[in-house]
Amino acid sequence: MQFVSGETVGIDLGTTFSVIARLDAMGTPRTLPNRRGEPTTASVVLFKGPGEAIVGPTAEDRAGIPADNVVTAVKRHVGDPSYRFEFAGRRLTAEFISAMILRKLKQDAERHIGPIGNAVITVPYYFNDASRRATQRAGQITGLNVIDIINEPTAATLGHAWQRGELGRLDLPEDERTVLVFDLGGGTFDVTLVRYTPRRFRVLATDGDVLLGGLDWTQRMAEYCCDRFCEWFAADPREDPQSFSEVLRACEAAKRALSRRPRAIVSIHHDGRNVDVEFTDELLQQLTADLLQRTLDTTERVLETADVRPAEVHEILLVGGSTRMPMVRRKLQELCGRPPATTLDPDQAVAHGAAVHAAILEARTQGTESRMGQAVLRRLRSVHVTDVNAHALGVLVTDPQDLRRKFNHIMIPANTPLPVSVRQRFVTTVPNQRRIDVHVLEGEARDPGACHHVTGFRIAGLPPGLPIGAPVEVEYRYDENGRIDVRARELTSGRGASVAVIRGATADADVEEAFRRLAAEYTIE
Ligand code: ADP
Ligand code: MG
């Protein structure tokens, strides 16, 4: 990885809120506030006109703007090639819209620290190769050199361990701490188990739930409100997008209020009529019990995967705005027999950890010219971070019993510590086979159709007359910088081929074009 000139930051590009941070000269992560002085910026893009956008608009900015001009939760579409947001005759990709959010964070932060060159951007556990690459491209479109993409919970814990003052302290004993990170944000849920000593930081296991977050809690409240409204009047606020979006907004406010007090009222206006619905914390818990249960099931699965008993967890870290809901804290306390830690700011922990990670990477490339103190640099250089792969990597294999059937044979299971290298033998399946196609798949499923196709290559020119069952060796190497090397060789002839996939490869032509367009055609407030 290479650094470019300019400052180095960490960015939490969230579904609902985004945060940018940097380590100060003493090694303390500091959030760089936006132009309004707020630490978090809503990941919402409002189009005022062609080429004119406001990121993180206020209620005033939104007044009188049709809902069609506003993009929310674009992160849910990042990596989806079919997604487009249409506005003023333009069709924008999710990564282009993400780039607009990044541009806002960057330009506001630059008011504090000057030009920014390099960034670590965080992604949820469940992001696959395609969504990670799209996030990387979003950074490049903004003109950021993306030095790494890391998982959000990994970042949160790294930041926490760093802040406790333990990481990188070679004088401290090598005591191990096991930490569970429970991250329930707006649209995503991740849970991760981490173990660290002052020198080594290891992710033991991580898992997550696609499309589960605070938005779902709010949605349940809104459905409940509309049902009540329908009981009173034979009219449904869900039929009018404007009414329903107001119900959602009122429910969002009520949900937050319930984290602080026992009751909250939602007033619904629709069709010239009003209904007030009262919520208690208890009612909210009833309406969403299955959602909370899903987060606990995933948590238990992660503990099992890592073979760690709940009582062995030293600390539970809460990340994500939705962990402010009292029901989350209660349930986790029941599970682990101890209250979750409250030292972290759930909104900023991820960005702070990304800033620590960025500084660890940067410290290795720097001499004495760093703006950071020598003691901080020494600490940063002595931390060794080991991550795991979030998704399995497999190879497409033909079933020898039925040549029409193909399946995903897993080479590197999920949750394997990196770097890792795996070598396995396969055999040719037809007589006189002249070529071998190797396809690299990402995903746990046996059905290749349910996996993401990462890359593929072909060994051609095998000698004629090769018998069925000729040995083929396949090797996967996955290093800590996100580089995947795949080689395959037919052993009798010695013919082979290989491919390297580098997460975070250099910008392609499309990215450069998007970079020019964003820079030349859009102003962002
Ligand atoms: P993301 O990382 O997905 O952008 P955040 O971690 O910023 O999300 O969390 C946003 C979510 O947190 C929203 O769904 C919001 O409703 C919820 N949230 C924020 N504050 C509270 C609160 N006080 N009580 C309950 N939920 C909250
Ligand atoms: Mg988040």
Side-chain angles (χ1 to χ4, degrees):
M1 142 230 355
Q2 237 152 16
F3 280 77
V4 299
S5 69
E7 294 297 328
T8 298
V9 295
I11 298 176
D12 171 7
L13 183 58
T15 311
T16 40
F17 289 100
S18 296
V19 181
I20 180 167
R22 178 181 82 148
L23 250 57
D24 70 13
M26 305 301 291
T28 307
R30 302 275 179 212
T31 297
L32 303 164
N34 65 20
R35 222 169 46 174
R36 289 201 292 267
E38 300 152 342
T40 64
T41 301
S43 307
V44 174
V45 181
L46 177 153
F47 289 88
K48 264 171 50 179
E52 243 186 304
I54 301 179
V55 174
T58 60
E60 277 164 26
D61 293 330
R62 287 175 95 137
I65 301 274
D68 289 356
N69 292 31
V70 181
V71 196
T72 56
V74 73
K75 188 171 172 177
R76 287 190 160 177
H77 305 287
V78 162
D80 171 3
S82 63
Y83 173 87
R84 289 290 183 280
F85 178 78
E86 296 197 27
F87 181 75
R90 294 181 186 173
R91 303 180 74 237
L92 306 177
T93 62
E95 62 195 55
F96 194 82
I97 292 168
S98 301
M100 297 177 110
I101 300 170
L102 289 171
R103 159 104 162 254
K104 162 76 174 172
L105 297 171
K106 178 173 181 281
Q107 79 192 21
D108 283 8
E110 285 178 338
R111 294 159 64 99
H112 302 285
I113 60 172
I116 295 171
N118 312 288
V120 165
I121 305 178
T122 59
V123 294
Y125 148 81
Y126 73 81
F127 263 27
N128 66 13
D129 183 62
S131 12
R132 283 165 202 259
R133 280 164 184 275
T135 303
Q136 187 113 26
R137 283 197 302 268
Q140 291 166 338
I141 292 170
T142 319
L144 284 170
N145 175 40
V146 182
I147 45 178
D148 206 357
I149 297 280
I150 62 167
N151 289 331
E152 287 160 10
T154 309
T157 329
L158 187 63
H160 174 72
W162 175 259
Q163 292 275 69
R164 281 178 63 97
E166 292 164 343
L167 276 190
R169 287 278 305 279
L170 302 182
D171 52 319
L172 293 179
E174 282 280 286
D175 289 342
E176 281 191 335
R177 285 184 76 79
T178 307
V179 176
L180 181 91
V181 190
F182 185 98
D183 180 352
L184 188 60
T188 65
F189 171 63
D190 291 310
V191 57
T192 301
L193 202 61
V194 174
R195 187 165 279 168
Y196 67 88
T197 69
R199 287 156 220 240
R200 282 194 86 75
F201 181 92
R202 263 182 316 144
V203 177
L204 299 181
T206 178
D207 203 340
D209 203 325
V210 182
L211 305 188
L212 180 65
L215 298 171
D216 300 295
W217 267 258
T218 308
Q219 182 82 25
R220 285 282 168 87
M221 292 174 77
E223 301 286 347
Y224 178 83
C225 287
C226 293
D227 290 346
R228 296 290 79 75
F229 195 94
C230 292
E231 284 170 12
W232 279 94
F233 308 106
D236 192 340
R238 279 167 287 214
E239 276 158 17
D240 176 3
Q242 204 69 32
S243 300
F244 189 59
S245 88
E246 272 158 34
V247 174
L248 277 174
R249 214 164 315 154
C251 287
E252 173 69 29
K255 182 182 78 174
R256 289 177 186 231
L258 282 176
S259 301
R260 278 174 283 115
R261 49 175 203 260
R263 273 159 219 290
I265 306 268
V266 174
S267 301
I268 314 162
H269 315 283
H270 172 62
D271 214 14
R273 284 172 284 204
N274 298 329
V275 170
D276 281 354
V277 178
E278 190 188 56
F279 281 93
T280 57
D281 181 42
E282 202 180 5
L283 174 60
L284 179 59
Q285 188 164 349
Q286 275 168 21
L287 293 174
T288 58
D290 59 313
L291 301 177
L292 187 59
Q293 191 54 45
R294 263 163 73 188
T295 67
L296 287 172
D297 291 346
T298 308
T299 305
E300 287 179 0
R301 206 162 57 232
V302 160
L303 287 165
E304 266 165 43
T305 306
D307 205 12
V308 169
R309 280 176 289 119
E312 291 174 289
V313 174
H314 290 111
E315 214 168 359
I316 304 169
L317 295 187
L318 297 180
V319 185
S322 301
T323 58
R324 291 204 173 89
M325 292 189 290
M327 65 172 100
V328 170
R329 288 160 195 251
R330 278 198 300 270
K331 277 282 179 193
L332 284 172
Q333 176 151 5
E334 270 170 39
L335 178 70
C336 293
R338 72 183 63 218
T342 47
T343 45
L344 276 192
D345 177 332
D347 297 329
Q348 299 174 48
V350 171
H352 286 184
V356 172
H357 185 64
I360 288 174
L361 297 177
E362 192 182 33
R364 294 192 195 141
T365 69
Q366 282 179 330
T368 47
E369 77 285 8
S370 169
R371 68 185 168 79
M372 270 182 271
Q374 288 304 308
V376 176
L377 273 186
R378 255 199 313 279
R379 258 186 81 195
L380 286 167
R381 287 192 191 119
S382 25
V383 185
H384 186 89
V385 178
T386 309
D387 210 339
V388 293
N389 62 328
H391 302 278
L393 282 178
V395 62
L396 185 70
V397 172
T398 305
D399 185 347
Q401 316 303 331
D402 175 357
L403 299 185
R404 285 164 311 176
R405 287 197 22 200
K406 297 194 185 319
F407 61 89
N408 174 27
H409 173 89
I410 290 180
M411 296 286 288
I412 303 178
N415 289 312
T416 305
L418 306 179
V420 64
S421 111
V422 175
R423 209 185 278 179
Q424 283 187 30
R425 268 203 197 176
F426 298 86
V427 290
T428 55
T429 44
V430 291
N432 192 30
Q433 191 166 329
R434 301 302 301 276
R435 53 173 210 239
I436 298 168
D437 286 316
V438 179
H439 293 284
V440 179
L441 302 176
E442 184 182 59
E444 276 68 37
R446 197 170 157 80
D447 170 15
C451 298
H452 167 64
H453 185 260
V454 178
T455 182
F457 61 93
R458 170 173 286 182
I459 308 175
L462 293 177
L466 204 64
I468 211 169
V472 181
E473 191 177 77
V474 175
E475 183 179 9
Y476 277 41
R477 281 164 183 275
Y478 193 161
D479 75 12
E480 55 272 70
N481 300 321
R483 181 190 168 102
I484 305 166
D485 278 294
V486 177
R487 294 166 207 281
R489 206 154 56 94
E490 193 284 305
L491 294 178
T492 48
S493 65
R495 288 198 73 90
S498 66
V499 70
V501 181
I502 300 156
R503 293 195 157 150
T506 48
D508 53 39
D510 284 356
V511 169
E512 277 163 26
E513 165 61 22
F515 170 76
R516 271 193 299 276
R517 259 181 41 224
L518 179 60
E521 298 173 17
Y522 288 87
T523 55
I524 291 175
E525 260 176 57

